[in-house]
Amino acid sequence: MSVQERKERERANRERLILATARELAEQQGWDAVTTRRLAERIEYSQPVLYSHFRGKREIIGAVALQGATELATALRAAAAAAAGPRARVTALARAYLDFAARHPAVYDTMFQLDGGLAFAQDDTPEPLKEGFAALLENLSDVAGDGVHPGLFTEVFWAALHGLATLTRAGRLPPEDAERRTELLVDRLAVF
């Protein structure tokens, strides 16, 4: 292995450590607790080393959002692939989305609530964000209904899932009705 390859590997490892530490701290204490000083202390590198990877917290949030989008797309595709039939697939997709939001609230926040400097729904949208949407679109296109644009249907379905995830997390919806809400969303929006 060349010196350059070793340095690149070490840099990639440091970057993974920074992001993993930021995620861990955010999941434990919220994103307000994630500061460059605190991250530098936890990873035992100086702040200049941290800044050599990310210009600041906003870029860290953006990088975590991209990781989250990739993880969400993977979870959605796996859930849909394991389901038999259109209704089961859409239900599994909805459950996987809501489960991801509940299990990874700090990551979910980076994707949809916090400013990570990422463009959404534009030509320069990063590929992981496009893949997150594509994982929904490819599983919802055939249940949009006649005359309904699949992309528009997917946006509405996604908005409903996001609303359920956000309101449930905020304690605005009683948790005991979560499954009934998911079934209602699938039954009323999707055409089988």
Side-chain angles (χ1 to χ4, degrees):
M1 174 182 303
S2 72
V3 172
Q4 181 63 27
E5 289 172 330
R6 183 182 53 78
K7 285 183 179 186
E8 288 174 12
R9 188 182 71 219
E10 289 172 356
R11 180 171 176 77
N13 286 338
R14 269 194 315 272
E15 189 167 304
R16 280 192 293 278
L17 177 61
I18 292 166
L19 294 177
T21 304
R23 286 175 70 154
E24 179 183 327
L25 186 57
E27 292 291 358
Q28 292 170 353
Q29 300 176 31
W31 279 101
D32 288 342
V34 179
T35 64
T36 52
R37 171 178 281 183
R38 202 174 223 180
L39 282 175
E41 289 171 2
R42 284 208 175 189
I43 65 172
E44 298 179 346
Y45 283 100
S46 67
Q47 282 183 300
V49 169
L50 193 140
Y51 283 118
S52 74
H53 290 272
F54 301 99
R55 287 186 298 223
K57 184 175 176 178
R58 183 177 187 219
E59 280 191 8
I60 293 169
I61 288 170
V64 170
L66 294 177
Q67 284 181 337
T70 298
E71 292 165 12
L72 177 60
T74 300
L76 294 174
R77 287 185 172 120
R87 188 180 195 296
R89 187 178 69 247
V90 174
T91 301
L93 190 73
R95 286 180 182 144
Y97 184 98
L98 295 170
D99 182 58
F100 181 89
R103 285 186 301 112
H104 307 288
V107 173
Y108 191 81
D109 283 349
T110 66
M111 296 165 60
F112 302 116
Q113 305 291 333
L114 302 175
D115 178 13
L118 303 173
F120 283 82
Q122 298 176 23
D123 291 337
D124 61 341
T125 297
E127 200 57 38
L129 299 180
K130 290 178 182 179
E131 280 300 305
F133 185 77
L136 290 170
L137 179 63
E138 64 200 31
N139 287 293
L140 293 172
S141 292
D142 60 342
V143 297
D146 292 338
V148 177
H149 187 278
L152 186 60
F153 176 80
T154 300
E155 289 172 352
V156 171
F157 198 89
W158 173 29
L161 288 172
H162 176 70
L164 288 174
T166 303
L167 292 170
T168 299
R169 183 168 155 205
R172 303 289 197 271
L173 299 174
E176 63 271 10
D177 292 328
E179 186 59 30
R180 288 178 46 210
R181 279 187 209 93
T182 302
E183 290 172 10
L184 184 62
L185 172 66
V186 170
D187 288 341
R188 296 294 190 244
L189 284 183
V191 177
F192 301 104

